[in-house]
Amino acid sequence: QSHIATQQKTIDDQPQSSQVLTKKSTLLDIDFPNETFDIVWAEGSIWIIGFKKGLEEWRRLLKPKGFLVVHDSVKSVLNELDKLSSLGYELINHFELPEDAWLKEYAIPLERLIKEQRERTKDTEILKILERYQNEVNMIKRNPKDHISAFYIMQKSRLLV
């Protein structure tokens, strides 16, 4: 069963299930009509297509005065904020997560899970996957300040400046 089918089953069990649509798509080819959404939420994904392109592509999806929320690395976004008005957005607010958030809330719990799984398996393919995740944990532990992230809340402007 695919991840999307599993998510759809979870959604179907909820009272507002008729208001939620699951759809397999790619950031490079978002197949929705213009002005479909009140909010577009980009969770750690804008870097895949680039900040400017992401804002340009996602703007068309927003209804007038719709909101775009981007959660990503401060390093990826901070130098891009001066482009917002020319891309048709107004920055409503932004806030950084605490400096140690990724370490405490992601890396350390993940490392515990990796350790548990290593103790349970001898499968070399699984061990390779666990090693990749451990490398990510090690990177965060070595340089937690390089992994500071922030939320940026933007609103679609009426006119492009």
Side-chain angles (χ1 to χ4, degrees), residues 1-13 22:
Q1 188 173 11
S2 76
H3 178 69
I4 292 174
T6 302
Q7 290 299 97
Q8 187 62 55
K9 179 163 179 16
T10 301
I11 291 165
D12 289 344
D13 294 337
T22 56

Side-chain angles (χ1 to χ4, degrees), residues 46 49-59 76 80 83 86-87 89:
I46 199 165
I49 59 175
F51 189 80
K52 182 176 185 275
K53 184 171 182 166
L55 268 61
E56 289 170 343
E57 295 285 324
W58 300 337
R59 186 177 191 284
S76 298
E80 306 287 344
K83 299 174 184 160
S86 67
L87 294 170
Y89 293 91

Side-chain angles (χ1 to χ4, degrees), residues 58-103:
W58 300 337
R59 186 177 191 284
R60 74 165 187 82
L61 299 172
L62 291 170
K63 292 178 181 176
K65 296 190 176 192
F67 292 91
L68 172 62
V69 180
V70 172
H71 175 217
D72 221 311
S73 162
V74 169
K75 290 192 315 187
S76 298
V77 177
L78 203 54
N79 294 331
E80 306 287 344
L81 293 178
D82 60 339
K83 299 174 184 160
L84 289 181
S85 62
S86 67
L87 294 170
Y89 293 91
E90 175 188 352
L91 182 65
I92 301 301
N93 203 346
H94 74 285
F95 59 94
E96 288 185 13
L97 294 181
E99 191 174 289
D100 61 354
W102 280 98
L103 182 63

Side-chain angles (χ1 to χ4, degrees), residues 117-131:
Q117 292 304 314
R118 281 183 171 154
E119 292 169 357
R120 291 183 184 168
T121 189
K122 302 249 185 271
D123 184 310
T124 56
E125 290 304 310
I126 292 174
L127 290 169
K128 286 179 189 176
I129 293 167
L130 293 173
E131 186 62 31

Side-chain angles (χ1 to χ4, degrees), residues 102-113 137 140-141:
W102 280 98
L103 182 63
K104 288 168 80 175
E105 302 297 329
Y106 176 72
I108 292 172
L110 179 58
E111 190 168 44
R112 275 190 291 248
L113 291 172
V137 167
I140 294 170
K141 287 171 77 174

